């Protein structure tokens, strides 16, 4: 991958000018008993997240009635969440289990990039899902025409490409910094704010640029999502029957819950300057949006979505009725 080669080359150049060849991730330092308890907790959350999201992906693939734009986007969100947690949690589990807190220079920068790549892609994808609900509720008769297969694929490609490209500026800025002093990252993964604290030069301009870029992406996609839901609420309130209003709102309730959880913590972390000096608080907030939210997403969409519950029940019933080994689709 081009970015990987660039990071390795840049890190090698930096090591020629500095003594830092690896970073030490602080994580959650405590007694051994507490670290074992944290290992069990994070391992359980990680397994729940991966298993839940994979179940959603396979359910959407197996049930043809769920082959619609809304569930196409949901499948991509589940796939993204698997990668999102995998970027940080396995390394944290290794630290808690073995006590080895070091990470190579290039590995730290790559972890930081992929974390923001997937996080940014999720911002774009949540905005796309809100737009999909806006079209479905505000223009139901034209929904199939507007949200055609081509449009859906283009929106997904745009989300992934946007997620890939948006963090590049921040990545280049961090890579260009000299690291010649302390190498202790006060976090449980290689987040940008604690990395900037370790640079041997004044990073105030870099911090401002990264802050503006983060605000542009996070607040831009959040505003797009809010506008979509404002139109949705206006349209729902115009529906005469209470049953119709309830049905319309139920189609977007799960997504609205996920948006509230994700943006609430991400905005607090990266768009609120007052939180940048409290790294202990940042760790707790980061756990919510990087571990807890991807774990809750499958539960939210499964428990609050009637179509998903019916599909899961149908699959389980089919498996029991056939009385033979279940075969996943190729």
């Amino acid at each position: 991958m081009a970015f990987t080669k660039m990071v390795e080359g840049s890190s090698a150049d930096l090591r020629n000018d500095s003594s830092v060849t690896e970073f030490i991730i602080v994580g959650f330092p405590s007694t051994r008993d507490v670290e074992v308890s944290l290992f069990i907790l994070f391992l359980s959350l990680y397994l729940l997240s991966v298993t839940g999201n994979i179940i959603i992906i396979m359910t959407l693939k197996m049930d043809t009635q769920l082959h619609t734009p809304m569930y196409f986007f949901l499948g991509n969100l589940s796939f993204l969440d698997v990668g999102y947690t995998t970027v940080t949690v396995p390394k944290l589990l290794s630290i808690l289990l073995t006590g080895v807190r070091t990470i190579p220079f290039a590995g730290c920068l790559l972890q930081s990039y992929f974390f923001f790549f997937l996080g940014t892609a999720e911002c774009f994808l949540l905005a796309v899902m809100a737009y999909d609900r806006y079209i479905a509720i505000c223009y139901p008769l034209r929904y199939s025409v507007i949200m055609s297969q081509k449009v859906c694929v283009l929106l997904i490609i745009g989300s992934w490409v946007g997620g890939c490209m948006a963090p590049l500026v921040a990545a280049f800025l961090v890579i260009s910094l000299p690291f010649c002093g302390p190498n202790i990252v006060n976090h449980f993964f290689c987040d940008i704010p604690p990395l900037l604290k370790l640079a041997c030069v004044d990073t105030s301009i870099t911090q401002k640029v990264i802050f503006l870029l983060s605000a542009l992406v996070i607040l831009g996609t959040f505003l797009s999502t809010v506008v979509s839901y404002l139109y949705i609420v206006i349209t729902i309130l115009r529906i005469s029957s209470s049953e119709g209003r309830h049905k319309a709102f139920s189609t977007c309730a799960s997504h609205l819950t996920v948006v509230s959880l994700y943006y609430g913590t991400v905005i607090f972390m990266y768009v609120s300057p007052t939180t940048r000096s409290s790294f202990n608080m940042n760790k707790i907030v980061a756990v919510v949006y990087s571990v807890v939210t991807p774990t809750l997403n499958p539960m939210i969409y499964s428990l609050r979505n009637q179509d998903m519950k019916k599909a899961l029940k149908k699959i389980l019933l089919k498996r029991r009725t056939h009385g033979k080994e279940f075969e996943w689709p190729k």
Side-chain angles (χ1 to χ4, degrees):
M1 190 174 184
F3 181 78
T4 304
K5 295 180 179 178
M6 179 268 294
V7 169
E8 292 175 347
S10 299
S11 61
D13 293 338
L14 287 175
R15 286 195 294 269
N16 293 332
D17 299 327
S18 67
S19 58
V20 174
T21 59
E22 61 184 15
F23 289 103
I24 299 174
I25 299 178
V26 173
F28 301 95
S30 186
T31 63
R32 188 57 188 161
D33 290 340
V34 173
E35 288 184 339
V36 171
S37 299
L38 288 175
F39 173 82
I40 296 173
L41 172 63
F42 282 109
L43 178 61
S44 301
L45 291 174
Y46 180 63
L47 292 177
L48 281 173
S49 175
V50 173
T51 304
N53 282 296
I54 289 177
I55 288 175
I56 284 184
I57 293 171
M58 299 309 300
T59 301
L60 296 178
K61 185 176 182 180
M62 293 165 57
D63 195 323
T64 56
Q65 293 184 352
L66 299 181
H67 291 179
T68 63
M70 181 176 74
Y71 295 109
F72 175 61
F73 297 138
L74 175 58
N76 274 268
L77 178 64
S78 295
F79 180 76
L80 191 153
D81 279 340
V82 172
Y84 194 48
T85 53
T86 302
V87 169
T88 58
V89 177
K91 178 60 180 177
L92 174 60
L93 293 175
S94 175
I95 292 172
L96 293 171
L97 184 64
T98 66
V100 179
R101 303 177 185 275
T102 57
I103 183 171
F105 189 98
C108 185
L109 296 180
L110 285 171
Q111 185 189 54
S112 177
Y113 171 76
F114 280 105
F115 179 80
F116 284 98
F117 159 34
L118 294 171
T120 304
E122 181 148 347
C123 287
F124 286 122
L125 185 54
L126 290 175
V128 166
M129 294 175 75
Y131 174 74
D132 172 69
R133 292 298 84 206
Y134 158 71
I135 297 298
I137 293 174
C138 298
Y139 301 96
L141 298 180
R142 299 172 55 192
Y143 177 73
S144 59
V145 176
I146 297 175
M147 300 301 294
S148 63
Q149 182 178 5
K150 180 179 179 180
V151 170
C152 293
V153 171
L154 288 175
L155 288 172
I156 287 297
I157 292 175
S159 298
W160 284 96
V161 173
C164 180
M165 299 299 293
L168 283 178
V169 174
F172 281 121
L173 289 174
V174 174
I175 289 172
S176 64
L177 295 173
F179 294 91
C180 54
N183 64 338
I184 300 176
V185 180
N186 190 14
H187 214 307
F188 65 89
F189 69 96
C190 291
D191 201 1
I192 286 182
L195 281 178
L196 294 179
K197 294 286 185 181
L198 303 179
C200 299
V201 295
D202 180 20
T203 61
S204 57
I205 295 178
T206 302
Q207 291 182 46
K208 291 178 181 178
V209 172
I210 293 176
F211 173 78
L212 290 174
L213 291 173
S214 300
L216 180 63
V217 171
I218 296 172
L219 295 182
T221 54
F222 178 67
L223 180 61
S224 173
T225 303
V226 169
V227 170
S228 294
Y229 274 106
L230 284 177
Y231 280 104
I232 288 173
V233 170
I234 293 173
T235 302
I236 291 176
L237 291 177
R238 291 175 178 173
I239 299 176
S240 56
S241 66
S242 59
E243 181 180 353
R245 288 195 297 269
H246 176 74
K247 184 178 180 180
F249 181 76
S250 64
T251 62
C252 54
S254 299
H255 179 254
L256 189 58
T257 304
V258 171
V259 166
S260 301
L261 286 172
Y262 185 73
Y263 276 108
T265 51
V266 169
I267 290 175
F268 177 84
M269 185 71 174
Y270 295 106
V271 186
S272 177
T274 57
T275 65
R276 294 185 176 272
S277 60
S278 178
F279 283 113
N280 290 329
M281 176 61 71
N282 287 357
K283 290 180 189 180
I284 298 174
V285 176
V287 167
V288 175
Y289 67 78
S290 65
V291 183
V292 176
T293 301
T295 303
L296 292 177
N297 284 356
M299 301 178 190
I300 292 172
Y301 280 106
S302 298
L303 297 177
R304 297 183 62 89
N305 189 293
Q306 294 298 324
D307 293 335
M308 283 296 300
K309 287 194 287 187
K310 290 178 182 178
L312 286 170
K313 289 179 180 178
K314 184 168 64 175
I315 291 172
L316 292 174
L317 181 61
K318 183 178 179 180
R319 186 175 183 180
R320 291 176 182 175
T321 303
H322 283 41
K324 60 182 180 179
E325 185 178 354
F326 188 79
E327 296 181 0
W328 295 104
K330 297 181 179 179

